[in-house]
């Protein structure tokens, strides 16, 4: 595992990290790693989303509109049928 040193960190940022660490009961390192993972898409939520997208695929707006248009017929009620 590698080590990363951050130089010239603004004091406000350092204070925010320290506050978050105290608030959550975690170390500064843990807080920074969680923030980096979340921002770069390596957190659990992002990973689940990527897996679902890989499984189900993703459609663009044009494809969505076409499918939506074709499915509208299923939401129409046939009044004659229900008499």
């Amino acid at each position: 595992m590698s080590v990363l040193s951050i130089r010239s960190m603004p004091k406000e940022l350092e204070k925010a990290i320290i506050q978050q660490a105290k608030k959550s009961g975690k170390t500064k390192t843990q807080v920074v790693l969680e923030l980096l993972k979340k921002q770069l898409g390596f957190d659990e939520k992002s990973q689940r989303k990527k897996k679902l997208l890989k499984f189900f695929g993703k459609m663009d707006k044009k494809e969505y509109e076409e499918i939506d248009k074709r499915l509208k017929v299923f939401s129409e009620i046939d009044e004659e049928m229900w008499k």
Side-chain angles (χ1 to χ4, degrees):
M1 190 167 294
S2 63
V3 176
L4 173 68
S5 297
I6 302 174
R7 297 186 188 136
S8 304
M9 181 185 295
K11 286 288 182 192
E12 311 83 50
L13 184 57
E14 182 182 9
K15 285 180 184 178
I17 293 169
I18 291 169
Q19 287 174 348
Q20 182 64 33
K22 286 181 182 177
K23 183 176 160 183
S24 63
K26 298 176 181 176
T27 66
K28 292 186 291 184
T29 300
Q30 289 171 321
V31 169
V32 171
L33 285 174
E34 286 176 2
L35 291 168
L36 286 170
K37 284 179 182 179
K38 185 176 180 179
Q39 181 63 35
L40 297 173
F42 289 97
D43 60 323
E44 284 185 40
K45 186 177 179 181
S46 296
Q47 292 301 314
R48 281 194 307 268
K49 185 176 179 181
K50 286 178 186 176
K51 287 178 184 177
L52 285 172
L53 284 174
K54 187 176 180 180
F55 181 74
F56 289 110
K58 185 176 179 180
M59 66 178 83
D60 61 25
K61 188 175 180 178
K62 185 178 178 182
E63 288 173 311
Y64 172 79
E65 289 170 352
E66 181 63 31
I67 290 171
D68 189 49
K69 183 175 131 183
R70 292 178 186 214
L71 291 176
K72 284 199 190 286
V73 68
F74 295 108
S75 62
E76 295 172 3
I77 298 172
D78 184 350
E79 297 294 335
E80 289 297 316
M81 183 179 192
W82 289 98
K83 288 185 179 180

